[in-house]
Amino acid sequence: MTDSLGSTDAWAGALRAHGRRVTKQRLAVLAAVERHPHSPAEGILAAAREELPDLTAQSVYVVLGDLTELQMLRRFEPPHSPALYETRVGDNHHHAVCVSCGRVEDVECAVGHAPCLTPHWEAGSKPMTIQIADVLYQGVCEECQRNQKLPTRN
């Protein structure tokens, strides 16, 4: 079902640990997201249909929602883009998005420990314990810079 039996076994174990049945639909969606990180639901549907041609869009949306709620998948929403999904969860990494072509790259935690950023609380506010910082870098990738003959910046 997935590229390797090890991945299938790991996903099956994680599903069981969360009290979910191991179904071919769930495994197909997980495998599709793992093979195509940073994909929208439509892309995941197309990839999962390579394994399960009769898979419905509704099934994929239900599975994506459920697995995101279980934190087996991460959902993030770049500006001007549909929600994107990935299997990399629990490490508080960030994303860089090319504003020209839309390519998305993972960015490791920039500084220090998760959540990477320390908020400044204004006097009179009610501070909270921060668990996750979600940073989105926006720029132009090297390929788009070359194609558009834009100056590179660091």
Side-chain angles (χ1 to χ4, degrees):
M1 169 113 343
T2 61
D3 290 339
S4 73
L5 184 57
S7 292
T8 300
D9 290 344
W11 290 127
L15 287 165
R16 286 187 195 99
H18 286 291
R20 297 300 193 271
R21 290 184 319 122
V22 178
T23 65
K24 58 186 177 184
Q25 292 87 352
R26 287 181 175 131
L27 291 175
V29 168
L30 284 163
V33 176
E34 187 170 26
R35 284 191 316 268
H36 305 283
H38 310 137
S39 291
E42 291 76 20
I44 295 164
L45 173 62
R49 279 186 173 162
E50 293 173 11
E51 294 180 31
L52 294 176
D54 295 331
L55 187 64
T56 66
Q58 180 64 29
S59 292
V60 169
Y61 281 103
V62 168
V63 169
L64 288 172
D66 185 48
L67 297 178
T68 299
E69 186 175 314
L70 295 174
Q71 297 181 352
M72 289 180 66
L73 293 179
R74 182 176 178 188
R75 177 182 193 263
F76 63 99
E77 298 178 50
H80 315 293
S81 171
L84 305 177
Y85 295 86
E86 64 184 345
T87 57
R88 186 174 171 186
V89 297
D91 67 351
N92 199 176
H93 70 281
H94 309 300
H95 296 99
V97 177
C98 177
V99 296
S100 183
C101 69
R103 189 178 94 210
V104 178
E105 294 290 336
D106 288 333
V107 177
E108 300 305 319
C109 193
V111 178
H113 311 262
C116 305
L117 305 173
T118 304
H120 173 75
W121 301 104
E122 295 294 326
S125 66
K126 297 180 181 176
M128 60 182 77
T129 301
I130 303 299
Q131 296 176 333
I132 295 173
D134 192 8
V135 176
L136 177 67
Y137 298 94
Q138 296 180 58
V140 179
C141 69
E142 289 180 7
E143 185 174 336
C144 288
Q145 288 176 9
R146 279 193 305 274
N147 292 340
Q148 298 171 13
K149 296 183 175 41
L150 298 174
T152 58
R153 295 172 119 185
N154 292 333

